Amino acid sequence: MANIKRNLRAGAAVVLVGLTLAACGGEGDAKKAEAKAGEKAGGASTQTVSIVVASLQNLPRTVTASGTVSAWEEVPVGAETGGLTATGVYVDEGTYVRQGQPLVQMNDALLRAQLRQQQAAVETAQANAARDQAALGRAQELKERGFLSQASLDTALANQRASSANVAAAQASLSETRTRLSQATIKAPVSGLVISRNVTRGQIISPGTELFRIVRDGRLELDAQVPETDLALVRAGQSAVISSDQIGETTGRVRIVTPEVNAENRLGVARIALVGGGFRPGMFARARIQVGDQPAVTVPTAAVLYRENRAGVFMLGTDNRAHFQPVTVLSRTTDSTAVSGLAAGSRVVVAGAGFLGEGDRVTVAPAARPVGERASAARAAAVNAAAARTAQAKK
């Protein structure tokens, strides 16, 4: 009986020890789980990074556009008098002409004959008018003496008026013939560059047919297609740089910004007058329009990353967690980049940004002292070390 009691007490002790060990083991597992959860909540990264504060600065802003080179004003040249043969063509494509310079001479032999005929008709009409004027004078004198009736005087007056009208008609015909004769020589209506020619010697020219096309004053301009988001920044008078892979670069100035935006592609047109260069109508060119200083948020260029083909920066919140913020790059230099989509004053990761992931917790490195302070500290340390060596030597 005593043995049974001892066995029962021993078994109870064993059970009690097992329960105690089990309880201790469970507490250890809970602590491990809590530790793992703490690690997961704390973030996978403990990287030390450096940060800067995004600042708002006035930076030179450039609007980029492209388009087709065209003539500032194209002037078509045609014939006013038709049915005549071209006997001489004096200019060709690519020739710069002056206003009033002869371009084409047409056969004017018939017109010159008509001119002589009209001159003779004018002289005849003038002679008849002089005769009738003299007859009217005599009729008036006889009427005053009572030797002529009123009817005869009225007839003389009518003859004199008819003769004057015939003189006017003959002179008008003569003027018309002279005008047609002058039109037989086709002249340049404006100064400029001839870009097309559609007439050859011996050709019978019809009235209204376009014979030449002239770029007025040789002035060209670029019809630059500007996105509607940047159109408000572009104004007349702003300078621009026009470039082409074939020609190179030249300067220009915005002449006018059209008030209409294309509803299909959302592009407006800025007409940029070109200054010099070897551009020709129809060529493709690009433009960089200087729209003046504009306020923009800037960050170091090294802080801008690309994730999934999107530009962005890593921002730090109050809990030092990194969050990727997409931005739009406005302009870029070696040192700084102007962006939109980021508020001024935001803390942006620079060094170490390329190794971060969304939500990583980081350690911010202390800001480096300026170069001047570091140099002063180095000199002070050198002086102190020299003083210490001197004191040691005296001992």
Side-chain angles (χ1 to χ4, degrees):
M1 200 58 190
N3 289 334
I4 292 174
K5 290 180 179 181
R6 285 196 300 270
N7 289 337
L8 290 175
R9 287 196 296 271
V14 171
V15 171
L16 180 62
V17 171
L19 291 175
T20 302
L21 292 177
C24 293
E27 183 179 356
D29 292 340
K31 290 182 179 179
K32 289 181 181 180
E34 290 179 1
K36 289 182 179 180
E39 289 180 1
K40 186 175 296 184
S45 174
T46 58
Q47 181 179 344
T48 300
V49 299
S50 64
I51 65 170
V52 296
V53 177
S55 60
L56 187 65
Q57 300 180 9
N58 284 329
L59 299 178
R61 180 77 181 274
T62 300
V63 172
T64 303
S66 61
T68 303
V69 177
S70 63
W72 167 59
E73 185 175 316
E74 289 188 3
V75 180
V77 181
E80 298 177 90
T81 297
L84 302 178
T85 304
T87 58
V89 180
Y90 303 132
V91 298
D92 206 343
E93 296 174 342
T95 304
Y96 192 92
V97 297
R98 299 293 180 183
Q99 184 176 0
Q101 178 178 338
L103 305 179
V104 176
Q105 178 62 53
M106 295 188 289
N107 186 2
D108 57 359
L110 179 60
L111 293 175
R112 291 187 181 278
Q114 292 177 355
L115 180 64
R116 292 191 295 269
Q117 182 181 4
Q118 295 297 331
Q119 288 173 340
V122 169
E123 293 176 358
T124 301
Q126 289 174 344
N128 293 333
R131 181 197 61 196
D132 292 339
Q133 181 64 38
L136 176 60
R138 290 192 299 270
Q140 289 175 341
E141 183 179 354
L142 293 174
K143 178 66 173 61
E144 291 176 357
R145 294 180 181 181
F147 298 113
L148 191 66
S149 64
Q150 183 63 39
S152 299
L153 178 61
D154 292 342
T155 301
L157 181 60
N159 292 336
Q160 187 273 336
R161 290 178 178 176
S163 298
S164 299
N166 290 334
V167 171
Q171 289 177 339
S173 298
L174 177 62
S175 178
E176 178 187 359
T177 305
R178 283 175 175 168
T179 301
R180 294 179 59 196
L181 181 62
S182 66
Q183 292 173 350
T185 302
I186 301 176
K187 300 179 180 180
V190 295
S191 299
L193 181 68
V194 178
I195 59 173
S196 68
R197 191 193 80 170
N198 301 305
V199 59
T200 58
R201 187 174 180 178
Q203 175 182 341
I204 298 177
I205 299 176
S206 301
T209 303
E210 181 179 313
L211 307 178
F212 298 93
R213 185 167 287 269
I214 299 176
V215 176
R216 185 175 181 180
D217 298 330
R219 291 171 54 181
L220 300 176
E221 62 184 17
L222 175 67
D223 296 336
Q225 305 288 328
V226 181
E228 63 176 350
T229 54
D230 296 331
L231 197 61
L233 303 175
V234 182
R235 297 182 299 275
Q238 293 174 339
S239 60
V241 177
I242 315 301
S243 61
S244 170
D245 296 336
Q246 293 75 26
I247 303 299
E249 289 189 352
T250 187
T251 57
R253 192 166 297 276
V254 178
R255 183 176 66 86
I256 191 174
V257 180
T258 58
E260 184 181 8
V261 175
N262 191 302
E264 296 181 359
N265 53 28
R266 305 300 179 185
L267 297 175
V269 178
R271 305 191 187 280
I272 305 174
L274 305 185
V275 180
F279 290 90
R280 297 179 181 274
M283 296 183 67
F284 173 82
R286 293 175 293 272
R288 301 192 304 274
I289 306 172
Q290 308 297 329
V291 297
D293 293 343
Q294 302 291 330
V297 177
T298 59
V299 296
T301 300
V304 180
L305 306 174
Y306 287 87
R307 298 289 172 88
E308 298 179 357
N309 294 326
R310 294 187 305 171
V313 297
F314 273 104
M315 296 173 48
L316 290 188
T318 56
D319 55 353
N320 282 355
R321 292 185 183 277
H323 300 283
F324 186 76
Q325 174 64 40
V327 297
T328 301
V329 176
L330 302 178
S331 63
R332 181 192 299 269
T333 64
T334 305
D335 300 325
S336 64
T337 299
V339 299
S340 63
L342 181 68
S346 302
R347 297 193 303 164
V348 177
V349 178
V350 182
F355 301 98
L356 295 180
E358 178 65 25
D360 287 351
R361 186 187 294 275
V362 300
T363 301
V364 179
R369 289 184 296 175
V371 177
E373 294 184 7
R374 292 200 301 269
S376 299
R379 287 194 296 270
V383 171
N384 293 335
R389 288 195 298 270
T390 301
Q392 186 67 28
K394 289 181 178 179
K395 292 180 180 181

